[in-house]
Amino acid sequence: MVKPAKGTTTLAFIFKEGVMVAADSRASMGGYISSQSVKKIIEINPYMLGTMAGGAADCQFWHRNLGTKCRLHELANKRRISVTGASKLLANILYSYRGMGLSVGTMIAGWDETGPGLYYVDNEGGRLKGMRFSVGSGSPYAYGVLDNGYRYDMSVEEAAELARRAIYHATFRDGASGGVASVYYVGPNGWKKLSGDDVGELHYRYYPVMPSTVEQEMVEVTGA
Amino acid sequence: MVGKNCFAIASDRRLGVQLQTIATDFQRIYKVHDRLFLGLSGLATDAQTLYQRLVFRHKLYQLREERDMKPETFANLVSAILYEKRFGPYFCQPVIAGLGDEDKPFICTMDSIGAKELAKDFVVAGTASESLYGACESMFKEGMEPEELFETVSQALLSSVDRDCLSGWGGHVYVVRENTDVRCIFKHDHSDMILLRSIKYIEKELNMLLRDPHT
């Protein structure tokens, strides 16, 4: 049975310099756009990020809960929790609520002692380790651009541009994605927000309108 | 939307299959004759077929009566054609706008089985129709001149489609007054600054064209 997709586009990938995380910012209720400025990249702690796809309340609450548990781990063990450990904590919680209607499709990205880490965790209790993920209704379109342009040894700027483009192309084709494309980078010193560009502006930056075409259409109508 | 001896008809430009966007330059408004325009929202294939059927009937009418159809008559024709398919309807909501006798503007909309809704001020149709009702209700004024009407219609359209996943990508706006007919297409940005600039640019062009109707 095909799962109904969560209306959003988020992606993350590991490369030589760390982890790049990007997402759109549109919240839709069926066809209605309820907001164009939702923060879909949640800051769990200064070196770990989570992405939001699915129910906003579910994702926000459980990520904050995860942040709390990570802090408790730090206090109890006098060292930071690994990305593996954090994602396992979340996956176990979601598994215990399986079948109760939570809607969470998240990626946990971070930098720990073993280097960059990226896990995909969802509301059915699934947990996958990987190098590239995209979640949401716009993910097929984002994968198309991401898989094509991905190389392990990219610089931070190249990776950011790839992530931005992938989100932009997903927002172009998918009606449930739009708003602002935010790009975050997770490095050895923690995460840093790199950019937040309106996808409408990105459209004209990538595909500028030629003035002559517009002028042609500004004349009297000869036929419909 | 109705103005002073003129009317404006506008549509968005997106064509999609549920959430996926297929095209960003889709034409939804058709000219039936110089003083009568038809906008068709809903299923694209039904819109095209319905338009072709209506143009055929109008051409027959022109041959028999040796004149163009009045908007009120055309509205009755559309309603009848839609009701013919009462139990297997066209999935379209038409919006009809035209200038009748003595250049009096006429607008009406219908549901997909031909129930006419006449209005004196504005009519709306489509996936964002609820938003459009709100936007038009608050922005509409009686007796607007073509320049102001264009501005109002564009802003109402854009603010409504910005709240709808299934509409967008700019708009087509037709403003028709007496014997002039000006078409404008404006690109759409989420950024207000850029939108304002392109509206001003189009306004300038519109003013130039309206001042001299024979260009």
Side-chain angles (χ1 to χ4, degrees), chain A residues 187-207:
Chain A
N189 302 325
W191 57 258
K192 184 163 134 61
K193 177 160 182 180
L194 292 183
S195 66
D197 297 292
D198 183 296
V199 296
E201 275 163 42
L202 283 180
H203 175 76
Y204 293 109
R205 213 197 298 171
Y206 293 142
Y207 302 105

Side-chain angles (χ1 to χ4, degrees), chain B residues 4 29 38 42 80 85 157 170 179 190 194 199:
Chain B
K4 190 157 171 214
I29 298 179
L38 171 70
K85 301 270 181 222
L157 181 73
N179 50 7
H190 294 293
I194 297 179
I199 289 251

Side-chain angles (χ1 to χ4, degrees), chain B residues 79 82-90 92 110-115:
Chain B
S79 175
L82 289 174
Y83 198 79
E84 265 172 13
K85 301 270 181 222
R86 170 64 176 82
F87 299 111
Y90 288 114
C92 283
M110 266 166 238
D111 68 1
S112 50
I113 46 174

Side-chain angles (χ1 to χ4, degrees), chain A residues 26 28 31-36 141 172-176 198 200-201 203-204 214-215 217-218 220-221 224, chain B residues 19-22 24 31 162-165 169 181 183 185 187-191 201-202 205 209 213 215:
Chain A
R26 180 176 287 187
S28 48
Y32 181 70
I33 299 174
S34 38
S35 173
Q36 291 269 58
Y141 313 113
F172 179 87
R173 283 291 173 183
D174 180 32
D198 183 296
E201 275 163 42
H203 175 76
Y204 293 109
V214 175
E215 268 173 46
E217 295 177 294
M218 290 292 191
E220 237 177 64
V221 172
Chain B
L19 286 177
Q20 184 183 52
T21 306
I22 305 290
T24 56
K31 186 165 91 154
D162 271 346
R163 279 290 178 182
D164 183 21
C165 299
W169 293 102
D181 166 6
R183 180 170 78 150
I185 293 174
K187 64 184 191 184
H188 175 46
D189 254 291
H190 294 293
S191 154
Y201 169 63
I202 291 154
E205 295 285 296
L209 286 161
T215 42

Side-chain angles (χ1 to χ4, degrees), chain A:
Chain A
M1 200 189 87
V2 181
K3 258 194 305 188
K6 298 156 163 103
T8 187
T9 310
T10 57
L11 60 87
F13 57 89
I14 293 179
F15 66 113
K16 188 181 66 175
E17 309 273 355
V19 196
M20 202 55 80
V21 184
D24 74 314
S25 71
R26 180 176 287 187
S28 48
M29 299 193 310
Y32 181 70
I33 299 174
S34 38
S35 173
Q36 291 269 58
S37 49
V38 177
K39 268 191 73 174
K40 293 194 188 178
I41 297 182
I42 299 161
E43 296 139 10
I44 298 170
N45 61 41
Y47 61 98
M48 231 191 304
L49 292 174
T51 59
M52 181 202 297
D58 289 336
C59 290
Q60 278 174 8
F61 179 85
W62 289 110
H63 277 122
R64 193 165 156 80
N65 183 275
L66 179 66
T68 314
K69 290 198 162 55
C70 291
R71 178 75 183 129
L72 287 170
H73 175 100
E74 269 180 37
L75 292 167
N77 301 89
K78 272 174 108 166
R79 56 189 252 167
R80 280 182 178 171
I81 192 171
S82 62
V83 182
T84 318
S87 60
K88 192 77 177 176
L89 276 175
L90 183 63
N92 286 341
I93 294 169
L94 293 176
Y95 183 78
S96 63
Y97 285 95
R98 213 170 116 101
M100 295 212 201
L102 285 183
S103 174
V104 171
T106 183
M107 294 178 286
I108 306 292
W111 188 291
D112 58 30
E113 280 158 12
T114 60
L118 178 62
Y119 284 83
Y120 163 76
V121 179
D122 70 19
N123 53 277
E124 299 185 348
R127 175 171 164 269
L128 296 171
K129 183 171 156 70
M131 297 286 271
R132 296 202 293 280
F133 286 113
S134 175
V135 182
S137 54
S139 62
Y141 313 113
Y143 271 130
V145 175
L146 182 59
D147 289 342
N148 188 47
Y150 177 81
R151 279 171 307 118
Y152 180 72
D153 33 24
M154 283 188 284
S155 67
V156 176
E157 292 80 24
E158 285 174 329
E161 185 55 27
L162 177 66
R164 200 174 302 126
R165 255 191 193 262
I167 293 286
Y168 156 73
H169 279 281
T171 58
F172 179 87
R173 283 291 173 183
D174 180 32
S177 304
V180 168
S182 329
V183 181
Y184 282 67
Y185 164 67
V186 189
N189 302 325
W191 57 258
K192 184 163 134 61
K193 177 160 182 180
L194 292 183
S195 66
D197 297 292
D198 183 296
V199 296
E201 275 163 42
L202 283 180
H203 175 76
Y204 293 109
R205 213 197 298 171
Y206 293 142
Y207 302 105
V209 178
M210 298 299 132
S212 55
T213 320
V214 175
E215 268 173 46
Q216 259 174 39
E217 295 177 294
M218 290 292 191
V219 295
E220 237 177 64
V221 172
T222 45

